[in-house]
Amino acid sequence: MSGLIGVFAELDSTVNAIGELRRSRFNEITVYSPTPRHELEHAIEAPPSRVRVFTLIGGVCGATFGYWIAIWSSRYWPIVVGGKAIATWVPYTIFGFEVMVLVGSLSTVFALFALSRVPRLTMTVGYDERFSQGHFGIFVATAPDRAKEAAELLKKHGAVEVRHEA
Amino acid sequence: MATAAPPMEQRPNIPSATVRLPAVKDYEQVDREIMGTLKPTLGWFAALATAILCLLIGVSAWFYQVYAGMGVAGYNPPVMWGVYIISFVFWVGIGHAGTLISAILYLFRAGFRTSIYRCAEAMTVFAVMTAGLFPILHLGRPWKFFWLIPYPNWRLLWPQFKSPLVWDVFAILTYLTVSSTFLYIGLIPDIATLRDKETNPVRKAIYAAMSLGWRNSDREWRHFTRAYLFLAAFSTPLVLSVHSVVSFDFAMALTPGWHATIFPPYFVAGAIFSGLGMVFTIIIPIRKFFKLQHYVTLNDLDAAAKMCLFTSLVVGLAYLTEFQIAWMSGNKYEQDYFWNRVFGQWAWAAWIMLICNMVLPLSLFSQKLRRNPSWLFILSLFINLGMWFERFVIVVPALSHEFEPWQWGTYAPTWVDYAILLGSFGWFFMWFLLFIKQLPVIAITEMKEIVPPKLRKVGGGGH
Amino acid sequence: MSETTTPRVRRREFLKVLGAGTAAGAAACSEPTGKLIPYLVSPDQTVPGVSTYFASVCRECSATCGIIAETRDGRVIKLEGNPEHPLNHGALCARGQSAVQGLYNPDRFRSPMIKTGGAWKMATWDEAIALLSQKLGEHKARAGSAVFLNQHESGSFPTFIDSWLSSFGMRPHVSVDFEADHAVIEANKRSYGVAWPGLAFGQAQLIVSVGADFLDGWGSSVQHQLDFADARAKGASAPRFVYIGPRRSLTGLNADQWVSCTPGGELAIVNFLLGRGDARAAATASGANADALTALARELAAAKPSLVIAGGRGENGLEVALAVGALNKAAGNVGVTVRPADAALGFEGISKQGDVMAAVERMRSGSVAVAFVRGPNPAYSLSPSAKFAEAFGNVAFKVSFSLYPDETTEMCDLILPDLHSLEQWGDSEPVKGTLGLQQPAMDPVFTGSRATADVLIAVAKKDAAAASKFPADFRTWLIARLPAGTAQRSAMLAKGIGAGSITRREVSSTTTPSSVAAAAGEYFLVTYPSPTLGDGRGANKPWLQELPDPVTKILWSSWVEIHPETAAKLGVERGDILEVKTAAGSVRAPALVYLGIRPDTVAMAIGQGHATAAQPTFFDGKDTGVQWGYGRYSRSVGANAGALLSGAVNGGGGWVASGKCDVVKTGERQTVPTTEGSARQHGRGIAQAIEASELGKPQEAESHGHIPGAASTAFLPGLRSPVAADAQGDLGAPTAADKGNQVGMYDPNHPLGMAKRRWAMTIDLARCTGCSACVTACYAENNIPTVGAPWQNGVVYAEKRPGFNITRGREMNWLRLERYYEGAEKGGFTEDFEARFIPMMCQHCGNAPCEPVCPVYATYHAPDGLNVQVYNRCVGTRYCSNNCPYKVRYFNWFGYGEPDRIQYAFPEPLNWQLNPDVTVRGKGVMEKCSFCVQRIREAENRAVLDQREMAADEFTTACAAACPSRAIVFGDAADDSWSVTKYVANERAYHVFEELNTYTAVVYLKKINHAAAGAGAGER
């Protein structure tokens, strides 16, 4: 998907650019920023992250497994120790909890990777090394016929550089 | 340093959530100054060499112990646990401040965490890595350690899940995994920054791989912030649980002096206390040698010192409560034990503990001292010492003075114990030193959250 | 017959012999063990892995108890008492059990040795015998002067030696016993007509011991202990026991009252009791308390019958013993409590020390051409003032028959290593009309050793005159002496004893009490033979070195007993090295501050401090690894208190073991190896006692108070703990749903029926005297390593001194004997304190604290109530030990069981003794008392194989079997037919640390104290 990329030095100009781009129905935009900024989030108005779902499922599975492994293995070889019951749920709660945390957080990380498409092997189109440092960036995916319009729009909002990416 | 600080820092007790770094102008300065610390220096090589030497001493002592038998260590039945378990608890405790600062303070939006949390987190991971070694090298048959782990095996032999030691295995391994994941996730954007600034192709390639091709795109940031939040939410109860479980090793036993319900909160407080102590021990020299005073400001140290003071008060209260309970319990075994601990055989150790952990930290009530890095550093050393002795006082006197008077004994470590303890410090600092020269000790990305971004119209922006 | 010196080869021979079946005997060089009729099973059933039992005679002291040697695959692995024997009735003391370590001692000579030019050369028997007969020929002219020192033993052997000697025109031998209490023997002869009358403790109303330590190995110790324990177990009607002496020995600690007096002061007291003189005079003369004496006199007069026993090691020992004899006659005790009819004959025919000294003097004069030593070790035992070495040096040719190197043997010219008593024939007459047969229980461990008797015969055969006087071998000679000859021998093989008497050799003793110069010194000195090491003979046996002294609980060391007051005066604490000086010599040993000794007296035990000679050089460079001195285990251990003795002889012909001395603090210190932590109970009610008057009355709670939530004693009968209930109810109920077929062993309907039983043990503290025989029995049965040897510490930067591991608390005694003091808390000297002995081993708790903390199920609860330890599963976290309130779990700090390690506890051939039914634990695992699970399972299996139910009291544990007090009873508490259930129901029964709700399977019965009439000392 070809498009053009605008490099901005200032935050507010980036925000304004995004706003106008979306108003003029450039919908496939990717915004780059050295650090997460709420201004940008608001401007983009993206739906909330779905990481939470993975976290929930992972946590529940973990807790279940933690209890299960302890209880099942105690039952499998019922050996009395210290006059205690064979399967004692109170101490086994520790396993429920710990494994919940373990699986829960690992699935959260998995979700992060899956949803934000990392790891990626190549710096695909529309990235500039400045974006990880001081500059903000907007990549507008657009058909060649509207490219000129977008470029002007970006320039108008004070992009220090606008270039075509293919 | 205080003199060099801009006037605003003279106004203490500013709400920590709205930290400002007047000495930091823009994103470029953050990149420049923080990445500047990555350049290896001669002093660093010297320190690393020392750490590795210590490690080697410990390793050879351990080989000798494995070959000859545990008898070469200073065990003196009935004291069947000694320096190794003490050091285990000590290091686990240190491993607590990191996650506390990075997770709990994150949830509480405590801004002063930003400058110190990366250090603390790395410290956590390495401390837990160190702690994890001790239960193994204190085993009579260390080569059988994996029997404590529930691995599927043909005979379907499983660990005994009622044993606090198995709880430990789960708690420690979970904690190690989660905290190192947490550290790495936080590092990804920073590594991306390193990658983009790096010119050496080899290093660039390595950074590229480590950064997983992170691009700082809006979608990445969106999921990143959520995931980070959830990880923090998981880590918070985890931190509290881990040291509670460690305290169960003692609280679940009948042994007078161990068999106490106060142990979990008492241990958690102690852990955070010792962890903060170690944070000071580490962050203050780094702050000085890496010239990061204007990132790790006196306000940050001040705030951390307040937490340190608070936990110290909690720990002190726990000490006193222990005595009071023993006194009121009417249980002669408890009473004998505590008397012997504080006024008898082990008085010297008990008083080291009380002075280092209860008395000295009271100095932090003085704001002048809270804002005096040199004093904080000295104090932190005493805290580390005191907390090691706290564990000594918990483990040894209880075992040496149990129910059966005929089996009362004493304890004296040998050179093997000391060598392995030294080795553990070598192990810890080896990793930490390697870390601080490969990866940024201050979270670049999060710093940029604090530093005001460039704006076209002056006065706008911010959040 | 290959003449090899390495045991390894011998072992292979054993296997070969086994294969050869009963042809075994033919292959072996000595008695054909294969042909003997074993005690329990007949030989054709002898199969590998099944024990064979031989009845024999114990030669560790002069009493000659009967023993049963358990052999497995042709090797002795354990000694136990012979139940049918009139003296020990199946019990056996620690020293007796340690005989196997004499048998398998790594320092035994492998072959005869000849000293030439100051260096030792290993020789063949032909060379050795040729040399001996040649020398005898050379010195024929002076044969009459020859000296033969033989360790005293009852039976026919002394007669044999004499006949051999006479056939060479030599004078009768000297029958030496350095332990014997000669004054008492002499007095007994004069008073009762026998050397050692039977003592019927049970008959007496009151027992008074005047320095007679009949529980410390004095005389026929096991016999006395059995009777004493039975008497004391009678509860309210049991005799009260008063001990008179300068120091509380083990016997003294078992007394209800201690009347302390100066050494030698006993005479005044006994005379007073006889009505001669008044209390005040006696008190001043003896340093005793006048009121106590008056009370005692009144009590003694009231008690009919009473029993007064004398010990006579003092200067006036004979007089004391005679006075006591008069006292018993006056009180009409003779024939009632003192029974000449049941005399122990083992003590007849012991030569007086005077005779020994006479022999030494003849040696010194240079008139002696040939000297033989078999057993005794005068170079160690005689006072330095006797200058034995010098005298012995004047003998032209000196022969030793010793099995081990020792101080005397080193000086000899020829060593003809004897067989161990478990390897050769012999006999004894323990009591009148009863014969004991000593038979070889196994092939000789080393082919290089040969029975002295057979050697002597071989020598005789080379002499024209003597040849005709002797049969082919000693066995034939011996059997011929039996009243009924071969038939009787065969009969006695089975039981070890038989009817009949043997003509005893009469010794004519000349006793001239040497005039003792009034010794000078600030303190009185008392020396006594160690209860564990005897006169030093035990010092080369690791079990005995590792066995804590019953009184002081010190091991692998010597010590000087000194009263707290005196210690304070000298500024001495436990462990300060003291120098004790007498006219004869001086000795350095660490101080032991001991309540039970008079402030004006110090005491030392004899038995340690053997010489540490340099290894000899061998011409042929062959080194057998034998350590000279007195073997590796006695090297540089302690000091020899015998060096303090003047060598003077009292009227009875015994050593004067007490005198005067000076004590100097040297300023050096040493941690004394001891198993003792705190000697006080701190009110924790571990060893509980009850006043005899309280028996039968409802008891109030223990003085240490009842902790809220403590268990009631309701579960006592049957000891059905909650876990048994859980295992058998919740899990075990056949109706229990969702358990499926996984219930397994906890199901009472399980084929093995394990869940039906609950193994339990009762220990009657009223019987226990603290003799510690059970401890050694446990070591022997369970392959427990001894860890105190100097080389058994760490390798790098570790201290190399005896008992170092013990000072680190690393002793492995699965069963330990605790000794707690009661009373005398506030300083100052008092006679009024009590000692309580309590054997402590794994309590096999129903709710065992050690179990739930083990991360790998290495310890768990078996359905029959055992707390099981799985060595192979143990990873060594040691958490179980931390959580054990009784501290009865022991950890393998080093590879004590690994032959290639410096810490190896069973150097060849000691490892031949290891019990094949018990594994030798590896490095880094936890171990503990298993209630002798191997015996339990064996009995169960036997019952199954015989298709029968297990009979009540069918078997018992090693400790219970050995106990000479019969204090320990073991059995199935869930089955009322076992006798253990009766004791469990006793009013004195209690559990240690009951308030912890551990539901222990070991039940203790309170000790019974007998307060003096009037003195109402309540329960402590």
Side-chain angles (χ1 to χ4, degrees), chain C residues 293-590:
Chain C
L293 294 183
T294 327
L296 178 58
R298 205 179 300 113
E299 197 178 349
L300 190 59
K304 293 263 179 271
S306 60
L307 173 56
V308 190
I309 324 163
R313 296 193 189 277
E315 187 182 333
N316 56 5
L318 180 65
E319 293 73 6
V320 174
L322 287 171
V324 165
L327 194 53
N328 277 324
K329 285 213 190 81
N333 299 338
V334 182
V336 187
T337 56
V338 180
R339 301 167 165 274
D342 316 342
L345 301 186
F347 299 87
E348 304 284 352
I350 303 178
S351 307
K352 300 272 169 56
Q353 306 294 11
D355 305 338
V356 181
M357 290 313 295
V360 173
E361 288 317 313
R362 281 194 289 114
M363 295 189 202
R364 182 170 288 111
S365 72
S367 65
V368 178
V370 189
F372 304 88
V373 185
R374 180 178 176 275
N377 184 5
Y380 167 82
S381 298
L382 287 183
S383 149
S385 59
K387 302 210 171 44
F388 174 81
E390 168 201 304
F392 203 51
N394 293 347
V395 179
F397 188 64
K398 307 175 280 298
V399 183
S400 167
F401 296 99
S402 172
L403 286 72
Y404 328 100
D406 63 37
E407 291 83 346
T408 312
T409 303
E410 270 170 28
M411 298 182 211
C412 296
D413 307 300
L414 174 63
I415 301 173
L416 304 168
D418 190 7
L419 288 177
H420 191 273
S421 59
L422 287 165
E423 296 167 334
Q424 63 175 311
W425 289 94
D427 64 351
S428 75
E429 188 177 4
V431 296
K432 192 135 202 62
T434 306
L435 285 183
L437 181 70
Q438 172 192 332
Q439 61 175 312
M442 69 179 286
D443 245 7
V445 176
F446 298 117
T447 48
S449 46
R450 203 173 281 189
T452 299
D454 289 326
V455 174
L456 294 181
I457 289 176
V459 173
K461 293 295 178 192
K462 290 186 181 294
D463 180 280
S468 57
K469 298 198 174 69
F470 298 94
D473 60 8
F474 177 65
R475 177 156 155 265
T476 330
W477 183 92
L478 187 68
I479 295 164
R481 274 175 61 88
L482 293 176
T486 320
Q488 184 173 23
R489 166 186 162 270
S490 326
M492 285 168 69
L493 282 173
K495 289 199 174 307
I497 54 172
S501 288
I502 43 174
T503 50
R504 232 177 8 258
R505 144 184 198 269
E506 291 308 331
V507 282
S508 58
S509 270
T510 56
T511 302
T512 48
S514 47
S515 58
V516 182
E522 192 181 355
Y523 299 95
F524 291 103
L525 170 72
V526 176
T527 66
Y528 55 95
S530 153
T532 55
L533 306 177
D535 59 1
R537 264 178 284 166
N540 64 346
K541 302 180 180 66
W543 285 346
L544 293 179
Q545 286 284 12
E546 190 105 341
L547 181 64
D549 175 81
V551 175
T552 62
K553 294 297 168 186
I554 292 177
L555 52 166
W556 290 99
S557 173
S558 291
W559 65 90
V560 182
E561 288 165 33
I562 179 168
H563 189 272
E565 252 182 25
T566 323
K569 204 175 77 199
L570 294 173
V572 169
E573 286 174 356
R574 178 198 202 107
D576 284 332
I577 308 271
L578 297 181
E579 182 166 20
V580 182
K581 293 202 198 106
T582 64
S586 85
V587 159
R588 297 157 69 90

Side-chain angles (χ1 to χ4, degrees), chain B residues 64-81 84 138-145 147-148 155 157-166 248-250 252-255 258 330-333 336-337 399 401-408 411-415, chain C residues 553 675-684 686 704 707 794-797 807-811 816-820 840 849 851-857 871-879 881-887 889-891 893-895 901 903 923-926 993 995-996:
Chain B
Y64 169 56
Q65 172 180 290
V66 170
Y67 163 74
M70 293 305 289
V72 298
Y75 291 106
N76 194 345
V79 182
M80 290 282 195
W81 285 358
Y84 304 148
H138 114 110
L139 287 183
R141 303 201 292 171
W143 51 92
K144 300 272 187 226
F145 76 96
W147 284 358
L148 275 73
R155 289 172 301 169
L157 290 175
W158 296 94
Q160 203 271 87
F161 286 96
K162 294 178 200 73
S163 166
L165 297 181
V166 178
F248 289 159
D249 289 352
F250 307 99
M252 290 293 150
L254 266 73
T255 315
W258 282 10
N331 177 332
K332 74 159 32 58
Y333 307 118
D336 281 9
Y337 158 67
L399 293 176
H401 202 81
E402 259 204 64
F403 292 97
E404 176 69 279
W406 192 259
Q407 291 295 87
W408 283 353
Y411 175 70
T414 65
W415 64 272
Chain C
K553 294 297 168 186
T675 58
E676 174 184 40
S678 163
R680 298 286 184 174
Q681 298 198 56
H682 303 265
R684 298 184 175 196
I686 294 157
H704 73 276
I707 289 177
V795 190
V796 182
Y797 301 134
T807 62
R808 277 260 184 212
R810 292 169 181 175
E811 64 274 5
R816 62 173 183 263
L817 229 141
E818 302 179 352
R819 187 256 304 110
Y820 287 114
M840 180 61 67
E851 287 164 0
V853 298
C854 176
V856 292
Y857 282 117
Y871 306 126
N872 290 348
R873 182 66 173 165
C874 179
V875 295
T877 68
R878 305 188 290 287
Y879 199 170
S881 170
N882 290 349
N883 211 25
C884 173
Y886 308 90
K887 287 281 164 280
R889 297 181 144 262
Y890 302 92
F891 187 72
W893 297 105
F894 293 108
R901 283 185 180 278
Q903 294 93 354
K923 185 181 77 185
V925 304
M926 193 60 80
F993 299 139
E995 61 272 23
L996 298 179

Side-chain angles (χ1 to χ4, degrees), chain B residues 262 316-329 334-335 337-339 341-343 350-351 353-354 358 393:
Chain B
I262 193 181
L317 179 66
Y319 294 160
L320 300 179
T321 316
E322 270 192 305
F323 294 122
Q324 180 233 11
I325 289 174
W327 170 51
M328 293 177 67
S329 68
E334 289 283 325
Q335 291 167 343
Y337 158 67
F338 277 100
W339 188 265
R341 178 209 264 196
V342 190
F343 302 111
W351 287 104
M353 168 186 91
L354 291 172
M358 255 178 93
V393 166

Side-chain angles (χ1 to χ4, degrees), chain B residues 107-119:
Chain B
L107 296 182
F108 284 109
R109 299 277 185 273
F112 74 91
R113 80 177 260 287
T114 318
S115 56
I116 55 174
Y117 92 94
R118 173 65 49 76
C119 250

